[in-house]
């Protein structure tokens, strides 16, 4: 059993491993890196199964709020009734697909401990498509006069249009991933591209966090204080926990409970507190902080339902839909490229080599294709919230995310199981978002360590790419019909692109950094090149690697032709 007190520490000034290297069960050295971080379990560590369940539950609770929020925004735009039970089916479908894609990505894709699921990046172009004249909802009077079959077809025909647009546009992501093109594009994704892209994910979501937290600032601040206390101040405090073994019987073992389960403990304590305040009627009936405000969701949820491809009818494809959805695909691609090295650093893994990045983007594309075919109404992307959770919990084990995907699969089939977590009071979720989104923004800004911050060139790029990317989408929201080119489809596409802050920021940062003159040292390219590890050679012989497939590596190494396949661990990129 791994000792929970094991950790890796890296000296920031020298970037050298000072402690420690772990040896796996096969006697192979697992060199782990976590610059400036203390981690409890590294990427290749396998915690005991009972710990994995609780750690996985933390990741599940982190992503469930974000996944559930998307259908609540999407279904009204689909012209779906508020009491339509299919709303719950869409939620289950999204979580079911998330489980499949997450397990595939963690096990055979980039092999980083990342959760794949629905994303706001796809929601923005989705809403733009549904605002086209042919997809706008009729008046409520017209909908009320429809029979049940007509009301069902009203939203399903729109879902089929979205499904086709999502699945076809994602083929572009599949192509650039498995063709190896992403490995070439990534050379232009510099630190000054990463900074606005990742930091804006957190910064652009501050309104979502504020909306949930403001439902009751007392509960939200209590959540923030407890999560900060557990994850930062009490990480080294050990609590006696009773254990049992056949040889020793019942014994007390000191355990780093706060270090391993800060999110889970925070949610449980605040949820119990909300329950007590609900029972004493401190909160009025219907208050968002009450534990019974969503209790009917459990009763209305069915017990079992297995989502399947084409459950709303087979997808339809239109040029307008595909072109519009490409904006979401591009935003997700840039965002995920930004998360890969960040996640690797946070969980103590070596920098992701080019074959892992190619494979990761390719698997994300396949996941989005599956999400489209299943009719989830959204694509898949790396969950920034769960990346932030790794930073908070210091748990970077791949095995934990595999357990989390199993929990998602169960919830996707047993609807009542997931309904229990959906009823978490919204102020608690808002408090968690304040911490998680802040962590995402901070890790995006951490890429500034590679560039020279005393350079006026760099300061200009950073300031303009972040500030303007917040200004432009805000202005377009206030003036939705300001773009008038004479072509409504083109208007929608341009509106979608300009309304996506992470896409605008990433494009501005990438363009300016690759066109404004600057030395490689000034731009941070030398240090960043080492971080991305694009020229690293694959493992050979009996040597193991974090990014190798879990099976079949010995056979792959014997087949010389695999050395030229850009998404295989045997890939050997040409160096000049």
């Amino acid at each position: 059993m791994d000792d929970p007190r094991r950790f890796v520490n890296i000296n920031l000034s020298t970037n050298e491993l000072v402690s420690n290297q772990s040896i796996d069960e096969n006697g192979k050295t697992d060199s782990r890196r976590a610059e400036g971080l203390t981690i409890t379990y590294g990427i290749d560590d396998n915690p005991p199964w009972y710990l994995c369940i609780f750690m996985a539950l933390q990741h599940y609770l982190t992503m469930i709020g974000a996944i559930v929020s998307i259908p609540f925004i999407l279904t009204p735009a689909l012209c779906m009734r508020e009491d339509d039970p299919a709303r719950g089916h869409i939620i289950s479908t999204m979580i079911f697909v998330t489980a499949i894609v997450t397990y595939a990505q963690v096990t055979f894709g980039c092999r980083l401990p990342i959760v794949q699921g629905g994303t706001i990046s796809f929601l923005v172009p989705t809403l733009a498509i549904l605002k086209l004249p042919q997809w706008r909802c009729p008046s409520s009077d017209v909908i009320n006069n429809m029979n049940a079959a007509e009301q069902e077809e009203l939203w399903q025909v729109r879902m089929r249009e979205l499904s086709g647009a999502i699945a076809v546009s994602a083929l572009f992501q599949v192509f650039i991933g498995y063709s190896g093109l992403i490995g070439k594009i990534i050379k232009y994704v510099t630190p000054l591209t990463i900074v606005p892209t990742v930091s804006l994910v957190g910064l652009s979501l501050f309104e979502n966090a504020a909306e949930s937290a403001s439902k009751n600032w007392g509960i939200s601040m209590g959540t923030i204080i407890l999560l900060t206390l557990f994850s930062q101040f009490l990480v080294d405090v050990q609590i006696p926990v009773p254990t049992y073994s056949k040889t020793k019987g019942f014994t007390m073992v000191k355990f780093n409970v706060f270090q391993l389960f800060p999110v889970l403990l925070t949610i449980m304590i605040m949820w119990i507190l909300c329950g007590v305040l609900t029972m004493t009627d401190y909160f009025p009936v219907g208050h968002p902080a009450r534990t019974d405000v969503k209790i009917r969701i459990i009763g209305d949820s069915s017990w079992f339902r297995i989502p399947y491809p084409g459950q709303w009818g087979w997808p339809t494809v239109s040029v307008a839909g595909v072109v519009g959805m490409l904006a979401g695909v591009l935003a997700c691609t840039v965002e995920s490229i930004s998360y890969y090295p960040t996640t690797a650093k946070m969980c103590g893994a070596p920098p992701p080599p080019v074959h892992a990045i190619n494979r990761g983007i390719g698997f994300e594309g396949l996941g989005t294709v599956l999400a489209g075919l299943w009719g989830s109404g959204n694509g898949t992307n790396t969950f920034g919230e769960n990346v932030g959770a790794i930073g908070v919990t210091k748990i970077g084990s791949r095995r934990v995310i595999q357990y989390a995907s199993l929990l998602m699969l169960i919830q996707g089939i047993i609807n009542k199981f997931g309904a229990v977590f959906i009823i978490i009071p919204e102020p608690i979720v808002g408090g968690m978002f304040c911490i998680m989104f802040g962590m995402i923004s901070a890790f995006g800004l951490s890429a500034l360590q590679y560039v020279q911050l005393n350079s006026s060139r760099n300061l200009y790029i950073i300031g303009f790419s972040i500030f303007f990317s917040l200004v432009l989408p805000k202005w377009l929201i206030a003036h939705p019909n300001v773009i008038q080119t004479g072509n409504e489809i083109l208007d929608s596409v341009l509106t979608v692109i300009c309304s996506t802050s992470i896409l605008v920021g990433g494009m501005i940062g990438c363009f300016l950094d690759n066109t404004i003159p600057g030395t490689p040292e000034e731009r941070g390219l030398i240090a960043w090149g080492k971080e991305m590890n694009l020229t690293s050679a694959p493992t050979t012989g009996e040597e193991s690697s974090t990014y190798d497939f879990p099976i079949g590596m010995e056979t792959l190494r014997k087949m010389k032709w695999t050395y030229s396949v850009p998404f295989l661990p045997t890939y050997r990129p040409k160096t000049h």
Side-chain angles (χ1 to χ4, degrees):
M1 181 187 303
D2 290 329
D3 183 353
R5 291 169 293 178
R6 295 172 57 199
F7 65 91
V8 175
N9 194 12
I10 298 293
N11 188 300
L12 272 173
S13 60
T14 61
N15 196 35
E16 294 176 351
L17 184 66
V18 297
S19 171
N20 62 349
Q21 287 187 334
S22 62
I23 307 297
D24 65 16
E25 63 273 12
N26 297 321
K28 298 175 183 178
T29 299
D30 173 24
S31 179
R32 307 191 297 173
R33 306 170 65 253
E35 298 180 9
L37 295 174
T38 299
I39 61 173
T40 306
Y41 286 105
I43 187 170
D44 293 314
D45 290 338
N46 295 324
W49 65 269
Y50 50 88
L51 289 183
C52 282
I53 292 177
F54 287 104
M55 295 172 186
L57 186 59
Q58 291 189 123
H59 278 282
Y60 176 85
L61 293 173
T62 300
M63 53 75 66
I64 191 65
I67 280 201
V68 170
S69 66
I70 293 174
F72 278 114
I73 299 173
L74 172 64
T75 50
L78 289 172
C79 317
M80 186 182 292
R81 301 190 328 269
E82 290 186 3
D83 59 346
D84 195 325
R87 288 192 175 209
H89 298 162
I90 292 176
I91 294 175
S92 296
T93 298
M94 189 172 293
I95 297 176
F96 184 83
V97 174
T98 294
I100 296 174
V101 178
T102 296
Y103 187 86
Q105 180 73 281
V106 173
T107 307
F108 300 103
C110 68
R111 289 183 55 75
L112 287 168
I114 56 178
V115 175
Q116 306 275 259
T119 170
I120 299 296
S121 298
F122 275 100
L123 187 59
V124 175
T126 293
L127 296 178
I129 292 171
L130 293 176
K131 289 179 181 177
L132 294 175
Q134 64 270 34
W135 301 122
R136 289 174 183 163
C137 293
S139 65
S140 56
D141 292 337
V142 174
I143 296 177
N144 292 333
N145 290 329
M146 293 180 177
N147 58 41
E150 290 173 336
Q151 289 180 347
E152 185 178 78
E153 179 62 16
L154 181 67
W155 71 262
Q156 287 190 1
V157 68
R158 287 162 173 76
M159 178 63 85
R160 292 194 290 268
E161 174 71 11
L162 293 180
S163 298
I166 291 169
V168 174
S169 63
L171 294 177
F172 172 76
Q173 199 174 25
V174 175
F175 170 74
I176 63 175
Y178 291 127
S179 67
L181 185 60
I182 196 66
K184 301 183 183 299
I185 295 176
I186 202 173
K187 296 179 181 179
Y188 300 97
V189 182
T190 61
L192 291 179
T193 304
I194 303 295
V195 169
T197 303
V198 178
S199 61
L200 281 167
V201 173
L203 293 175
S204 61
L205 292 173
F206 80 92
E207 290 183 338
N208 302 75
E211 182 179 357
S212 297
S214 62
K215 298 297 176 64
N216 187 281
W217 279 110
I219 298 299
S220 298
M221 289 304 301
T223 303
I224 293 171
I225 292 171
L226 283 183
L227 189 53
T228 303
L229 183 67
F230 294 158
S231 66
Q232 302 300 320
F233 290 96
L234 301 180
V235 289
D236 295 325
V237 176
Q238 296 181 336
I239 303 297
V241 176
T243 61
Y244 175 81
S245 65
K246 293 181 179 179
T247 56
K248 298 182 179 180
F250 286 100
T251 58
M252 299 297 292
V253 176
K254 290 186 176 181
F255 205 62
N256 294 67
V257 176
F258 299 116
Q259 186 180 52
L260 294 176
F261 310 117
V263 175
L264 188 58
L265 286 173
T266 299
I267 292 176
M268 290 175 60
I269 293 173
M270 294 308 299
W271 204 347
I272 292 173
L273 176 61
C274 287
V276 172
L277 296 176
T278 299
M279 294 174 61
T280 58
D281 287 328
Y282 178 84
F283 297 124
V285 176
H287 193 280
R290 289 182 66 98
T291 54
D292 60 357
V293 71
K294 300 177 183 178
I295 198 69
R296 62 182 295 270
I297 293 179
I298 297 179
D300 293 343
S301 300
S302 58
W303 277 103
F304 298 99
R305 184 180 184 276
I306 300 178
Y308 56 92
Q311 57 185 330
W312 321 124
W314 286 105
T316 58
V317 179
S318 68
V319 175
V322 172
V323 173
M325 205 63 71
L326 272 174
V329 171
L330 292 174
C332 289
T333 302
V334 174
E335 187 179 346
S336 292
I337 291 174
S338 308
Y339 280 136
Y340 289 171
T342 301
T343 305
K345 181 168 61 177
M346 290 172 63
C347 64
V354 64
H355 65 79
I357 296 172
N358 287 332
R359 200 164 60 247
I361 296 300
F363 263 87
E364 287 199 15
L366 285 177
T368 299
V369 171
L370 291 178
L373 295 178
W374 251 268
S376 68
N378 204 263
T380 60
N381 189 34
T382 301
F383 257 127
E385 294 91 336
N386 291 85
V387 174
I390 294 176
V392 172
T393 64
K394 311 300 188 296
I395 306 297
S397 170
R398 183 188 296 116
R399 181 64 57 83
V400 170
I401 304 299
Q402 291 172 332
Y403 271 65
S405 66
L406 180 60
L407 289 178
M408 298 173 204
L409 189 67
I410 294 173
Q411 194 280 316
I413 298 174
I414 307 176
N415 290 351
K416 287 188 182 295
F417 180 82
V420 173
F421 299 102
I422 294 174
I423 65 174
I424 296 175
E426 197 168 356
I428 298 179
V429 177
M432 289 178 56
F433 281 170
C434 289
I435 298 289
M436 298 302 180
F437 294 161
M439 289 290 293
I440 296 169
S441 299
F443 277 107
L445 294 172
S446 70
L448 292 175
Q449 65 183 295
Y450 303 105
V451 305
Q452 294 181 4
L453 290 178
N454 59 352
S455 166
S456 59
R457 168 197 182 275
N458 292 344
L459 294 178
Y460 176 87
I461 296 173
I462 296 166
F464 180 68
S465 61
I466 293 179
F467 188 81
F468 184 74
S469 300
L470 293 173
V471 170
L472 183 60
K474 201 74 173 178
W475 180 69
L476 285 173
I477 292 174
H479 304 83
N481 298 317
V482 72
I483 298 180
Q484 298 290 339
T485 64
N487 185 306
E488 192 167 359
I489 296 176
L490 181 59
D491 293 346
S492 298
V493 172
L494 292 177
T495 301
V496 167
I497 293 175
C498 296
S499 299
T500 309
S501 60
I502 57 176
L503 182 59
V504 174
M507 291 175 63
I508 292 175
C510 183
F511 174 76
L512 293 180
D513 191 39
N514 286 282
T515 54
I516 298 178
T519 64
E521 292 83 2
E522 183 181 18
R523 298 172 60 194
L525 298 184
I526 296 177
W528 182 244
K530 295 177 181 178
E531 189 72 17
M532 293 304 296
N533 199 27
L534 293 179
T535 58
S536 62
T539 57
T540 57
E542 295 300 320
E543 183 183 356
S544 65
S545 170
T546 292
Y547 301 98
D548 280 353
F549 290 143
I551 57 174
M553 284 308 304
E554 184 177 351
T555 302
L556 277 178
R557 293 189 182 106
K558 293 178 180 178
M559 297 184 290
K560 302 297 183 183
W561 61 269
T562 64
Y563 296 172
S564 302
V565 181
F567 57 85
L568 293 179
T570 50
Y571 177 57
R572 298 178 180 178
K574 296 179 181 179
T575 56
H576 301 283

